[in-house]
Amino acid sequence: MVSTVSYRFSRPIALLAALAAGPALADDAGELQALITADHRVAANIERNDARNPVETLQFFGLEKGMTVVEVLPGAGWYTEILAPFLRDNGTYYAAHFSANASLSYQPPALERFRQKLSANSEVYDQTRVTHLNPPAETEIAPAGSADLVLTFRNVHNWIMAGTQEEHFQSFYTALKPGGVLGVVEHRAPEGSSMEVMETTGYVTQAHTIELAEAAGFEFVEASEINANARDTADHPRGVWTLPPTLRLGDENRERYEAIGESDRMTLKFMKPQ
């Protein structure tokens, strides 16, 4: 089990909203607040909490105990550190990661590093179920119709760049139950941006993201500005990777980009029709 940690509520608005919604949600909010700074989390990941608003984001998507949740392409496990222990004893967490058979050279090693992270802390991650997403060969991220919630964080641009966006969204639709929710966080391009911009900068328009989800059969439910950043103009020399945490330009204009912070992001909720 996750070790007990003391935590001062730095985000009282989220907690007060949960209290107003009922005791179960308040308990969930309190546990999430504790988990985002728990001992098992990587220190560098904790430092990004203020930029990524994990408690508010997960509650906007409707995360609750007992759910079957799929996180799509969890990378190094930023959200895994929160979702896996939250669902460990009451719920099911699938981490739909890269495939060992992937053609892109960086993907199998990334999968192996993720597996090593899980095995290094079995008290937290022993119930995590790893599946693989490598369309068109591997698309079953969870048993069909089993998931209450599918989540993807800052991934849509990668699928657009690879030309696999339709297959990815269809796999989410297949995994979800009728009435299940798809939650999407993505770097936001100014509306009217061209496909060339979306294929090269890491930014995607909100309208195009909604279009992709609706083409797969989803209904758009709601957008939130939880992860908005008005300082981000989305026109940087190395695209979104110019900004933290990547800072691809190194020390060139570093203070300027650190002052902007992480990218402006859309936070979108979709539903698979009943």
Side-chain angles (χ1 to χ4, degrees):
M1 293 295 294
V2 179
S3 57
T4 302
V5 296
S6 61
Y7 186 82
R8 178 177 297 171
F9 289 105
S10 60
R11 299 185 183 278
I13 294 175
L15 183 60
L16 289 173
L19 285 167
L25 288 180
D27 289 346
D28 286 355
E31 182 171 345
L32 288 170
Q33 290 282 11
L35 283 170
I36 66 172
T37 54
D39 292 344
H40 70 277
R41 294 206 73 204
V42 174
N45 290 343
I46 293 174
E47 291 175 1
R48 309 233 68 82
N49 283 339
D50 287 344
R52 298 183 178 181
N53 308 297
V55 176
E56 294 90 337
T57 299
L58 292 171
Q59 291 198 303
F60 173 72
F61 291 143
L63 175 69
E64 295 180 16
K65 290 284 191 180
M67 283 185 165
T68 294
V69 178
V70 183
E71 183 187 359
V72 177
L73 300 183
W78 199 94
Y79 264 99
T80 301
E81 294 176 353
I82 303 167
L83 291 165
F86 181 79
L87 296 164
R88 181 181 182 273
D89 297 319
N90 187 4
T92 303
Y93 171 64
Y94 287 93
H97 214 291
F98 296 130
S99 169
N101 303 314
S103 59
L104 294 176
S105 61
Y106 73 91
Q107 293 186 353
L111 170 64
E112 181 57 28
R113 289 192 296 272
F114 182 77
R115 288 190 179 278
Q116 290 173 2
K117 178 187 184 77
L118 302 187
S119 62
N121 195 344
S122 60
E123 290 187 355
V124 175
Y125 302 119
D126 62 336
Q127 298 303 309
T128 298
R129 305 185 185 189
V130 179
T131 56
H132 306 288
L133 186 53
N134 183 32
E138 298 170 84
T139 59
E140 187 175 286
I141 57 177
S146 68
D148 299 288
L149 183 60
V150 171
L151 301 171
T152 176
F153 302 98
R154 307 177 309 282
N155 284 314
V156 176
H157 61 282
N158 291 315
W159 308 327
I160 290 173
M161 293 167 73
T164 58
Q165 59 270 44
E166 289 86 2
E167 292 95 329
H168 278 85
F169 276 88
Q170 191 58 58
S171 73
F172 312 156
Y173 191 89
T174 300
L176 281 164
K177 301 173 180 177
V181 168
L182 168 65
V184 178
V185 176
E186 178 57 292
H187 312 294
R188 179 164 48 192
E191 289 304 325
S193 296
S194 67
M195 282 304 303
E196 181 182 1
V197 166
M198 290 187 268
E199 290 169 350
T200 58
T201 68
Y203 289 94
V204 183
T205 66
Q206 187 161 308
H208 187 61
T209 305
I210 293 172
E211 179 183 332
L212 289 172
E214 290 181 338
F218 287 101
E219 295 176 351
F220 175 59
V221 177
E222 189 178 0
S224 171
E225 293 300 294
I226 294 168
N227 296 300
N229 180 0
R231 297 184 300 275
D232 180 17
T233 56
D235 60 352
H236 313 298
R238 297 290 181 88
V240 72
W241 305 282
T242 309
L243 299 179
T246 306
L247 293 168
R248 190 163 287 176
L249 292 178
D251 290 333
E252 182 181 341
N253 294 319
R254 186 184 187 97
E255 290 185 2
R256 172 188 170 190
Y257 297 124
E258 287 182 335
I260 293 171
E262 293 199 20
S263 66
D264 176 50
R265 292 167 187 163
M266 66 186 97
T267 304
L268 308 178
K269 183 190 295 185
F270 302 91
M271 180 178 292
K272 181 175 180 176
Q274 296 276 7

